[in-house]
């Protein structure tokens, strides 16, 4: 997906979290994973759904002038803007493989927000990227802590 405005960037982020949740849910219900990995995948999927809703609130609360500002050049120049393959499966993966896929994607989003924050031409754009970055950092850290607890069980 290409994003030309902050609004489309937010929608892209929502889509990323939603697709990630969908792929994890599919892995959790398949019979290929152990019970513990199914539980982990379901927890991660639920958390991704929450993150999807949090990102949606940014669009509802942001200034319309900021949302309609252009980010196209910065978005397409950044190599960290991969999208999740809809067919990607988490079924049968072990803990390390699941965490690697999930946190690589989250780190890409964090890097993108940092990149865009540094290139924002307005204070409103910079503030929106700072807020998205703070939310993504906090929720990714929370996700990592809970995943680590699941591994220790």
């Amino acid at each position: 997906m290409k994003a030309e405005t902050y609004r489309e960037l937010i929608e892209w982020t929502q889509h990323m979290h939603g697709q990630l949740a969908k792929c994890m849910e599919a892995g959790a219900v398949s019979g290929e994973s152990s019970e513990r990995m199914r539980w982990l995948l379901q927890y991660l999927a639920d958390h991704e759904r929450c993150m999807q809703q949090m990102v949606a609130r940014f669009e509802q609360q942001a200034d319309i002038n900021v949302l309609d500002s252009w980010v196209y050049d910065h978005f397409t120049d950044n190599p960290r803007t991969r999208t999740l393959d809809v067919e990607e499966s988490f079924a049968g993966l072990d803990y390390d493989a699941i965490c690697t896929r999930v946190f690589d994607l989250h780190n890409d989003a964090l890097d993108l927000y940092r990149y865009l924050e540094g290139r924002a031409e307005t204070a409103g754009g910079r503030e929106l990227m700072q807020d998205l970055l703070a939310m993504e950092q906090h929720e990714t850290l929370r996700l990592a802590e809970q995943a680590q607890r699941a591994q220790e069980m």
Side-chain angles (χ1 to χ4, degrees), residues 74-144:
H74 303 311
F75 191 83
T76 57
D77 290 344
N78 191 313
R80 293 254 195 203
T81 56
R82 3 176 194 175
T83 55
L84 187 66
D85 182 1
V86 178
E87 302 301 318
E88 184 173 359
S89 175
F90 286 84
L93 296 180
D94 66 8
Y95 173 84
D96 291 331
I98 291 169
C99 287
T100 296
R101 286 187 182 184
V102 169
F103 293 114
D104 280 352
L105 195 60
H106 281 269
N107 287 333
D108 286 350
L110 289 167
D111 288 346
L112 177 62
Y113 293 151
R114 282 186 200 100
Y115 178 85
L116 292 173
E117 176 190 11
R119 283 152 185 81
E121 295 179 11
T122 65
R126 200 168 16 267
E127 183 179 332
L128 179 60
M129 288 299 94
Q130 288 168 348
D131 291 346
L132 279 167
L133 177 61
M135 182 277 301
E136 190 80 33
Q137 283 174 322
H138 174 75
E139 293 303 316
T140 300
L141 179 61
R142 197 170 132 214
L143 202 60

Side-chain angles (χ1 to χ4, degrees), residues 6-14 55 59 67 128 132:
Y6 285 108
R7 180 186 314 276
E8 290 171 344
L9 171 66
I10 289 171
E11 290 168 358
W12 176 83
T13 305
Q14 284 178 265
V55 173
E59 185 175 9
L67 289 174
L128 179 60
L132 279 167

Side-chain angles (χ1 to χ4, degrees), residues 40-90:
L40 175 64
L41 285 170
Q42 190 57 57
Y43 170 79
L44 293 172
D46 291 346
H47 194 92
E48 290 297 329
R49 292 276 181 221
C50 289
M51 290 179 76
Q52 183 181 23
Q53 293 169 357
M54 286 179 210
V55 173
R57 285 192 287 273
F58 279 95
E59 185 175 9
Q60 296 165 354
Q61 297 170 357
D63 181 326
I64 192 155
N65 293 325
V66 173
L67 289 174
D68 292 335
S69 297
W70 294 94
V71 295
Y72 177 75
D73 292 337
H74 303 311
F75 191 83
T76 57
D77 290 344
N78 191 313
R80 293 254 195 203
T81 56
R82 3 176 194 175
T83 55
L84 187 66
D85 182 1
V86 178
E87 302 301 318
E88 184 173 359
S89 175
F90 286 84

